Amino acid sequence: MSNSALPLVISAPEPRTLDLIFTPPQLARLRANYRIVETTADGVAKLPADVLAEARYIVGQPPITPETLETMKALRCVFNVETNLLNNMPYETLFARGIHVVTTGLVFAEPVAELGLAMALNLARNIVDADLAFRQGKELWGGDGNQTAQLLSGADVGIIGFGDLGRALNRLLSGFRTRTKVFDPWLPPSILIDNGVAPASLDEVLSQSDFVFVVASVTSENQGFLGADAFASMRKGAAFILLSRAGVVDFPALMAAVKSGHIVAASDVFPEEPLAQDHPVRDLPGFLRSAHRAGALDIAFKRMGDMVLEDMDLIDRGLPPLRSKRAERETVSRMRSKPVDKN
């Protein structure tokens, strides 16, 4: 097959790059089977009309106007490799035309869940602070160093949100025999029960848990919904672990709850990223910090390449994409997670 006869792919994956999400063999396979037109997100609309008309796939989530979409007669799928669904394209028209919009966010579920588990164990056993004390010659030996320690094994655990990340986290926690309650208003109780967790209200998850994991996406309905009242309702000494997006939390209220000594907390995400050097959370005792690095593993990015290539192959053969997660018309317009500035 001549190169001109190959299906055309528009590549605008920022903030990712093709070299980040594809191994050299994967990228060679992509280039062997498709014509690749590389551009920026803002540059997609400026491409020649014949390129837009021939494009079968988009890798990225560039802004697409209804006028640009009207030109794209051959488009079959938008592969969102940033993984946050922005309200920057006419989703209703895409769905009406049978064009798939998919994300590759599943690749981050296990890496983020593992870091969340590590954070919970650290908060339970005060590992980082104990190490720092040891380096300073101020360590406390034996039971003296365990005044606030608790076990994760057999603990009461609450999970807020039960998408891919919540389910990956639950699989890890199963080895700790936790009693796990889940609040997710977008899921029927039977799905939670089938996953071995107990459906619960938000109040039950907060007030009856030793560890609370927040893995919910930010939507138009839940921005800042975890505030001072939510933290006050938690058990004294409970651990609050934020893994999804800071937008679901009233962050000053979270810091105040930690500063008061009522709870301890950990977060991989923050209201602004990168965080200002003088932000008070940087030296807040009882708060474990991670610089939005939970999912940013090379192995996770490279799994994106596998997902994209396998789903392209399925669609080329007239089948639906199965590896990537499809956006749903009922919920896509509610998403409010903003992309991060760095990989």
Side-chain angles (χ1 to χ4, degrees), residues 11-276:
S11 172
E14 57 190 59
R16 319 293 184 213
T17 65
L18 291 182
D19 288 334
L20 178 70
I21 62 179
F22 292 100
T23 65
Q26 289 171 339
L27 190 53
R29 177 181 161 194
L30 179 71
R31 296 190 183 282
N33 292 319
Y34 302 93
R35 285 179 292 153
I36 312 299
V37 175
E38 299 188 53
T39 186
T40 63
D42 291 334
V44 170
K46 302 173 185 176
L47 291 171
D50 61 330
V51 171
L52 293 173
E54 288 186 58
R56 181 177 294 183
Y57 303 116
I58 295 175
V59 177
Q61 62 163 346
I64 300 175
T65 65
E67 293 75 21
T68 299
L69 184 58
E70 177 64 25
T71 308
M72 307 184 79
K73 302 296 185 183
L75 186 62
R76 297 190 189 178
C77 187
V78 177
F79 288 91
N80 182 336
V81 294
E82 203 287 329
T83 72
N84 292 292
L85 286 163
L86 297 182
N87 195 19
N88 67 347
M89 56 186 71
Y91 290 107
E92 283 298 328
T93 305
L94 288 162
F95 294 138
R97 286 179 49 185
I99 298 169
H100 300 291
V101 179
V102 300
T103 75
T104 55
L106 177 61
V107 301
F108 295 131
E110 285 186 347
V112 176
E114 285 194 5
L115 188 71
L117 177 61
M119 285 177 154
L121 288 168
N122 177 80
L123 292 175
R125 303 302 298 271
N126 206 25
I127 298 168
V128 170
D129 286 347
D131 175 72
L132 291 174
F134 211 108
R135 297 182 190 204
Q136 297 166 1
K138 300 176 181 178
E139 72 275 8
L140 297 174
W141 292 86
D144 291 337
N146 282 328
Q147 295 301 309
T148 61
Q150 57 182 318
L151 281 180
L152 179 59
S153 296
D156 293 317
V157 168
I159 302 177
I160 299 175
F162 206 67
D164 294 329
L165 174 51
R167 296 174 206 210
L169 177 62
N170 184 54
R171 289 193 294 271
L172 293 179
L173 289 171
S174 65
F176 290 84
R177 308 180 310 282
T178 57
R179 298 180 294 272
T180 303
K181 294 182 175 67
V182 170
F183 170 71
D184 191 322
W186 286 10
L187 293 179
S190 60
I191 289 181
L192 301 179
I193 294 168
D194 287 347
N195 280 272
V197 298
S201 68
L202 178 60
D203 180 67
E204 289 171 332
V205 165
L206 291 167
S207 64
Q208 299 176 17
S209 300
D210 302 309
F211 299 84
V212 175
F213 293 88
V214 180
V215 294
S217 298
V218 184
T219 73
S220 58
E221 301 160 357
N222 72 359
Q223 296 183 70
F225 80 107
L226 294 169
D229 289 344
F231 304 127
S233 72
M234 293 177 63
R235 291 176 175 173
K236 183 172 176 55
F240 183 90
I241 301 103
L242 178 58
L243 296 173
S244 50
R245 284 290 184 267
V248 299
V249 168
D250 179 338
F251 215 80
L254 173 60
M255 290 189 296
V258 173
K259 186 175 182 179
S260 73
H262 181 63
I263 62 172
V264 293
S267 184
D268 185 53
V269 292
F270 299 90
E272 299 87 29
E273 298 179 2
L275 198 65

